Amino acid sequence: MDPSSPYSKELQLACLTVQRAALLTKRLLEAVDKGSLDKSDSTPVTIADFAAQALIIGAIHKAFPEDEFVGEEDSKALRADPELLERTWELASTTHLDDKDSEALLYAPKSKEEMLDLIDLGARGKCSLESRAWVLDPVDGTATFMQGQQYAVCLALVENGCQKVGVLGCPNLNLATGRLREDVVDRDGYGSQVFAVAGQGAWIRKMGRGALLAADSIGQRPQITDPKDLDFVDCGSATSSNTSLHARVASKLGAPWPYSTDLWAAQLRYIAIAVGGCNALIKIPRKASYRSKIWDHAGGMLIAQEVGVKVTDLAGNPVDCSLGRTLAGCYGMIVAPPSIHGRIVEAVKEVMQEQTE
């Protein structure tokens, strides 16, 4: 990217801090593989979440001290558990990029207390029409993370309710088959980073241990009109989604079903659309009251949009990112090429009307 482009400084910093956090998660997985951490225990996930959130917020807050942060974690559990705090601090304080110039751009907390305070910055922030907020999910896909499958380190800049920068570090991403699969992982490297800037496109690069590697532009997804060309990504084990209604929508459209790709982490479903062979996603919640957390979608939505895919709620309305810590105005989700998006909206409407009759 041109260094003079809008948000170039934010993008560089976001890419570097996500890469450092991705290295941190890989270190933890290596410890699990070696038996020094118990795989049946949820503690490694907790340590990774806390340590990655602290490092990400620390780097961004130093460069942009007026910005807000919207993160999933707060520090209560660490403050109440000295052993957990010590293990989290050990990981956060010893994870560095190998390239000194790159690492020099990334601030890191200097004490346990500072680490705790940085984590809490994320617990307090909100997105609004007047805010510049960094939204982060340090480990999206904690269940699959512990199984050595797919997960993502997610960071997005949301300015006045609009996504401007999105960076997803996918440490196990392996596209050798052309598809994104839970069990086809990058065992030898550090996966890939997928990122986008509003109005400027999307890119993918391999992640490493040092400076950022060269990135390749991601082409636009084809515009399709025949429902038979739809290729859905979904999550069969998601308790919040009504996959039986998803199947009925596909049937009404005459689209292939079952879906070709099953991914646990919400953000990775956007990656499956951008680079993993899929082109559509439906999410019909089981409960009418359900609203998604913003950190499960911010950044990934932008990447999908920048490769030419339309992202809306079930009624076809744009997703509003200005409503705090959730997508409060967004019931469900439809992600698909604009050329066929409207037909999916109509099919969803018909299926949901049939549900109430």
Side-chain angles (χ1 to χ4, degrees):
M1 274 193 65
D2 184 346
S4 64
S5 299
Y7 300 101
S8 60
K9 180 182 177 182
E10 288 90 340
L11 178 65
Q12 181 193 28
L13 194 62
C15 288
L16 281 171
T17 193
V18 165
Q19 179 161 288
R20 182 172 66 173
L23 284 178
L24 179 150
T25 64
K26 279 280 197 177
R27 287 182 64 199
L28 205 63
L29 285 177
E30 288 167 5
V32 172
D33 289 341
K34 292 173 183 173
S36 55
L37 286 173
D38 185 357
K39 196 170 187 175
S40 64
D41 179 12
S42 63
T43 303
V45 175
T46 306
I47 295 171
D49 269 333
F50 284 133
Q53 180 158 319
L55 286 186
I56 291 170
I57 293 178
I60 302 292
H61 182 59
K62 183 70 171 179
F64 301 105
E66 302 303 315
D67 291 359
E68 289 194 59
F69 296 89
V70 182
E72 187 170 3
E73 310 298 338
D74 64 40
S75 70
K76 289 177 185 174
L78 290 182
R79 294 181 189 274
D81 187 335
E83 182 185 353
L84 188 64
L85 172 59
E86 185 61 40
R87 293 167 72 185
T88 302
W89 171 245
E90 191 279 331
L91 185 65
S93 61
T94 58
T95 299
H96 309 286
L97 296 177
D98 287 348
D99 180 67
K100 290 184 178 180
D101 291 340
S102 298
E103 180 65 23
L105 297 173
L106 300 179
Y107 182 79
K110 300 295 189 284
S111 67
K112 295 174 191 174
E113 190 60 36
E114 186 183 11
M115 179 183 74
L116 294 171
D117 290 343
L118 287 169
I119 291 169
D120 285 336
L121 281 180
R124 292 196 294 266
K126 294 180 180 179
C127 292
S128 74
L129 287 173
E130 293 83 34
S131 72
R132 201 176 111 118
W134 293 86
V135 179
L136 65 148
D137 190 343
V139 180
D140 180 42
T142 50
T144 41
F145 167 74
M146 282 306 297
Q147 299 304 316
Q149 296 176 317
Q150 301 297 339
Y151 67 99
V153 178
C154 312
L155 181 62
L157 174 61
V158 178
E159 197 171 77
N160 304 327
C162 297
Q163 300 168 94
K164 296 298 183 181
V165 176
V167 181
L168 269 58
C170 311
N172 283 340
L173 185 64
N174 181 345
L175 296 173
T177 66
R179 311 288 298 194
L180 179 48
R181 305 289 192 198
E182 290 286 11
D183 55 353
V184 179
V185 301
D186 185 349
R187 300 201 180 279
D188 302 318
Y190 296 91
S192 295
Q193 191 176 80
V194 185
F195 58 97
V197 178
Q200 298 182 42
W203 296 264
I204 184 169
R205 65 157 58 93
K206 287 285 188 182
M207 288 195 291
R209 297 188 55 86
L212 295 174
L213 300 174
D216 295 318
S217 178
I218 302 172
Q220 297 289 291
R221 300 296 289 135
Q223 296 302 312
I224 60 172
T225 55
D226 189 340
K228 290 184 174 61
D229 293 327
L230 284 167
D231 192 331
F232 286 99
V233 57
D234 210 316
C235 179
S237 55
T239 56
S240 61
S241 296
N242 193 329
T243 50
S244 64
L245 291 187
H246 297 178
R248 285 172 57 185
V249 170
S251 176
K252 192 171 284 289
L253 286 163
W257 198 266
Y259 43 90
S260 67
T261 300
D262 192 316
L263 294 168
W264 172 253
Q267 290 273 19
L268 280 168
R269 293 172 218 153
Y270 295 109
I271 301 303
I273 289 173
V275 295
C278 298
N279 59 16
L281 160 69
I282 307 170
K283 182 179 177 67
I284 302 176
R286 289 187 181 276
K287 297 181 180 179
S289 60
Y290 179 85
R291 296 296 182 273
S292 295
K293 303 297 186 185
I294 191 168
W295 49 78
D296 285 334
H297 298 274
M301 291 189 295
L302 178 63
I303 290 167
Q305 289 167 335
E306 288 298 315
V307 299
V309 177
K310 189 173 183 178
V311 181
T312 72
D313 67 8
L314 292 180
N317 301 312
V319 178
D320 188 347
C321 292
S322 71
L323 302 174
R325 296 173 64 82
T326 69
L327 300 178
C330 178
Y331 177 64
M333 196 82 72
I334 297 175
V335 183
S339 53
I340 202 166
H341 188 281
R343 291 181 67 180
I344 301 176
V345 172
E346 288 304 311
V348 168
K349 183 178 178 181
E350 291 173 20
V351 166
M352 293 182 71
Q353 282 177 339
E354 291 166 2
Q355 277 290 102
T356 60
E357 292 174 357

